Amino acid sequence: MKQNFYSYKNTIVLIAICLATLMFSLEISSVPVILPTLEKLLNANLKDMQWIMNIYTIGCTTVLMAAGTLADRYGRKRILIITLTLFGISSLICGLAENIVLLIISRFFQGISGGAMLICQIATLSHQFQEGKERSKAFGIWGIILGVGLGFGPIIGGSIIAILSWKWVFLIHVPLAFLAIILVHFYVDESKDSDAKKIDIWGAITLSLSVFGLTYYITQGPDLGFSSPIALGIIITTIISFIIFIGVEKTNPYPMFNFSVFKIRNFSGAILGSIGMNFSFWPFIIYLPIYFQSYLEYDVVTVGLSLLAYTLPTLIIPPFAEYLTVKYRSGIVIPLGLFVIGLGFIVMRYGSIAEHASWLTMLPGSLLAGIGLGLTNTPVTNTTTGSVSSNRSGMASGIDMSARLITLSINIALMGYLLVEGIFSYLNTAFSKTIDSKILHSISEKIAAGNFSSLNRDFQELSLLNSSNAIFHKALAHGFEIILLYGGIGVWILALLSFILFNPKKRQNKL
């Protein structure tokens, strides 16, 4: 009887944790689908759309390494309930936001609570499920739900906005968070670590400032002027913050990042895999809906369905990746996965500029990119934690997640910059440099955001030009060609570097 109650209780705990991870993953993959709608309804521009996604990842990065220490010191159940509450409140504010500024601010707090919530989920599962077989099953189910959220997020987001409104992409988390809080409160056992280390506050602050500063410089640089005093002040502050971060981590007895782990070649090779996955695949999911909705003129549900080819392989391929890792080792599989992601982007590049472009011409490249990510993700996670001693596995996992989120933030900004510059370059040539560059840059940003409807109204001089709308669409395609080349070639370079690190002449021993 006692055993049955224990099994029932743990089943409820697993349901609560899976609800939390579903919310976290949906906020990454479902929100991109609604960005073109937000651009129209909230008068958002491309930079606003970048910040809606970027600020979430920056928020996650801010608390990622500190959350585990907080949970160990003050209780994993207590911190999990607090983070679930904050996630529900911030989601409510996101859904009720009537302007873009409030939405971006609330997304930041949603990211902070989401990042802390993710770490608490892992800590809670580790304590609640301690038997080998039961523990493996629990983490396996948790991983599947995480994959379902990421893989089906686009179609879930598209369906919600079609049936209800964009607000419910956020508001749906309010009842889910409330249910998860009730289940955690009544069924999760409290646990603490009496030997919990001190929080590396200065490390968290300086790293967050560095990431935010670089992202802000890339995103707002075109408006400020990259060489303007304000922009130069931002980038100098960013560099100083990063230097201080390195100094803090080297002198702190309990650092977030112990740089000695990078001497382990397998660890460094796997971290390059983390960077490679988030160099192009996840940043591009922010911009792919703009291509489908604005260039191909698909409705939001069709956009969501089209994105399934991009995300579903990330859910299906991981078991095959584990098999390949056992047979050929991660030093082969991770660089191979990165290479396939890059190949997918190159194939998508040709699909995006095809004469009769459609979801079918994008399908082969989308599938390849998703397969590549599926091949890379699980081996990266296993290798980062498995290549260090057990007492360092938590820190290794934190570095892995930080590398992913930092790379994601920076490349969302970089891809947006390259998209606008690619469009600007095409328009500048098409109009034979007859239009003022500031006006043309403003037009480029509107095109990059998919805002074709207001162009003739805002820039009446262009309405006199024949086939201007066709030029705008071709410019958008050219911009996407640029970022697809950037994503593909960049990942190939990282794949090569990862392969070199994984395959030295002499294998390194664990530290």
Side-chain angles (χ1 to χ4, degrees):
M1 187 74 176
K2 186 177 180 180
Q3 181 64 33
N4 288 338
F5 176 76
Y6 174 78
S7 178
Y8 170 77
K9 180 180 179 181
N10 275 3
T11 299
I12 299 300
V13 170
L14 185 57
I15 291 171
I17 298 300
C18 285
L19 276 175
T21 196
L22 182 64
M23 289 189 292
F24 175 83
S25 56
L26 282 176
E27 280 307 288
I28 295 175
S29 61
S30 66
V31 174
V33 180
I34 71 171
L35 292 179
T37 302
L38 294 179
E39 179 267 324
K40 296 172 183 175
L41 297 180
L42 297 184
N43 297 316
N45 56 37
L46 182 67
K47 291 182 177 63
D48 294 330
M49 289 192 278
Q50 288 174 283
W51 280 117
I52 288 169
M53 293 304 301
N54 246 339
I55 206 69
Y56 183 81
T57 58
I58 291 172
C60 288
T61 307
T62 301
V63 299
L64 196 63
M65 299 299 287
T69 304
L70 281 172
D72 290 342
R73 175 171 290 190
Y74 298 106
R76 288 140 191 165
K77 174 180 176 178
R78 177 185 297 176
I79 300 299
L80 180 56
I81 289 175
I82 291 172
T83 57
L84 281 166
T85 303
L86 292 175
F87 192 86
I89 293 171
S90 56
S91 297
L92 176 64
I93 298 172
C94 284
L96 298 178
E98 296 293 336
N99 62 75
I100 208 70
V101 174
L102 180 58
L103 179 58
I104 291 172
I105 292 172
S106 53
R107 279 283 285 175
F108 176 68
F109 288 102
Q110 197 184 36
I112 288 176
S113 53
M117 186 172 68
L118 179 67
I119 298 301
C120 290
Q121 291 168 36
I122 298 170
T124 301
L125 281 178
S126 298
H127 176 77
Q128 199 83 22
F129 298 88
Q130 296 184 357
E131 295 180 13
K133 188 176 180 180
E134 189 183 29
R135 182 189 181 95
S136 297
K137 184 179 178 181
F139 271 97
I141 294 171
W142 176 81
I144 289 172
I145 297 301
L146 181 65
V148 167
L150 293 171
F152 286 93
I155 188 59
I156 292 172
S159 299
I160 289 174
I161 196 172
I163 298 171
L164 299 168
S165 77
W166 68 268
K167 293 177 178 291
W168 281 97
V169 173
F170 300 109
L171 292 177
I172 191 68
H173 299 303
V174 178
L176 290 178
F178 180 76
L179 176 59
I181 290 167
I182 297 299
L183 296 179
V184 170
H185 176 74
F186 285 106
Y187 291 95
V188 170
D189 296 329
E190 183 60 283
S191 61
K192 297 181 182 180
D193 182 359
S194 57
D195 298 321
K197 298 175 181 178
K198 292 182 179 180
I199 300 172
D200 183 6
I201 295 175
W202 286 109
I205 291 173
T206 51
L207 179 61
S208 299
L209 283 175
S210 301
V211 176
F212 181 81
L214 182 57
T215 304
Y216 191 88
Y217 178 77
I218 296 169
T219 305
Q220 305 298 136
D223 290 340
L224 296 172
F226 286 110
S227 59
S228 69
I230 295 176
L232 290 176
I234 291 169
I235 198 65
I236 290 170
T237 303
T238 298
I239 293 170
I240 292 172
S241 296
F242 188 68
I243 292 171
I244 294 173
F245 166 72
I246 294 174
V248 167
E249 297 309 284
K250 286 189 173 182
T251 56
N252 193 328
Y254 306 111
M256 290 196 308
F257 284 27
N258 188 328
F259 292 113
S260 64
V261 296
F262 288 99
K263 295 178 182 178
I264 306 170
R265 283 184 170 268
N266 278 1
F267 180 83
S268 295
I271 290 297
L272 281 176
S274 297
I275 294 170
M277 289 188 296
N278 293 274
F279 185 90
S280 56
F281 185 91
W282 287 118
F284 191 59
I285 201 173
I286 313 303
Y287 300 101
L288 197 49
I290 297 174
Y291 177 84
F292 283 131
Q293 200 162 343
S294 299
Y295 183 75
L296 298 181
E297 299 180 343
Y298 291 164
D299 61 71
V300 69
V301 175
T302 307
V303 170
L305 287 169
S306 300
L307 285 173
L308 284 180
Y310 192 71
T311 57
L312 270 186
T314 67
L315 176 61
I316 298 169
I317 297 299
F320 180 61
E322 290 188 42
Y323 166 76
L324 289 178
T325 302
V326 171
K327 189 170 184 179
Y328 298 106
R329 70 186 175 82
S330 57
I332 299 297
V333 177
I334 290 174
L336 173 64
L338 293 181
F339 175 81
V340 176
I341 292 174
L343 181 62
F345 270 70
I346 299 301
V347 173
M348 274 194 287
R349 179 254 178 185
Y350 287 102
S352 70
I353 59 172
E355 185 176 353
H356 301 289
S358 69
W359 69 272
L360 281 172
T361 62
M362 296 290 285
L363 181 63
S366 296
L367 287 172
L368 279 171
I371 289 169
L373 189 111
L375 285 172
T376 311
N377 193 22
T378 303
V380 162
T381 302
N382 292 339
T383 305
T384 51
T385 54
S387 59
V388 300
S389 53
S390 59
N391 65 320
R392 289 181 166 185
S393 60
M395 181 187 62
S397 178
I399 293 175
D400 174 25
M401 287 300 298
S402 296
R404 296 178 190 223
L405 292 171
I406 291 168
T407 307
L408 176 61
S409 295
I410 292 170
N411 279 282
I412 287 174
L414 274 173
M415 280 191 172
Y417 172 75
L418 291 173
L419 178 60
V420 172
E421 290 303 309
I423 294 169
F424 174 81
S425 173
Y426 185 92
L427 293 179
N428 206 28
T429 302
F431 295 136
S432 303
K433 302 180 181 180
T434 57
I435 300 173
D436 181 76
S437 61
K438 287 186 178 180
I439 294 177
L440 208 56
H441 220 281
S442 179
I443 296 171
S444 300
E445 290 187 350
K446 285 181 174 289
I447 293 172
N451 189 355
F452 290 95
S453 59
S454 67
L455 285 174
N456 286 336
R457 183 182 67 246
D458 293 344
F459 304 98
Q460 294 180 4
E461 66 269 25
L462 292 181
S463 64
L464 302 175
L465 296 172
N466 294 325
S467 305
S468 61
N469 200 48
I471 293 174
F472 297 155
H473 278 77
K474 288 179 181 179
L476 181 62
H478 180 72
F480 271 94
E481 183 182 2
I482 298 297
I483 59 174
L484 284 165
L485 283 173
Y486 165 77
I489 294 171
V491 172
W492 276 349
I493 293 171
L494 289 167
L496 178 61
L497 293 174
S498 178
F499 181 80
I500 292 170
L501 275 173
F502 268 122
N503 298 279
K505 292 181 181 179
K506 293 182 180 180
R507 299 293 301 275
Q508 294 277 340
N509 296 323
K510 290 183 181 181
L511 291 183

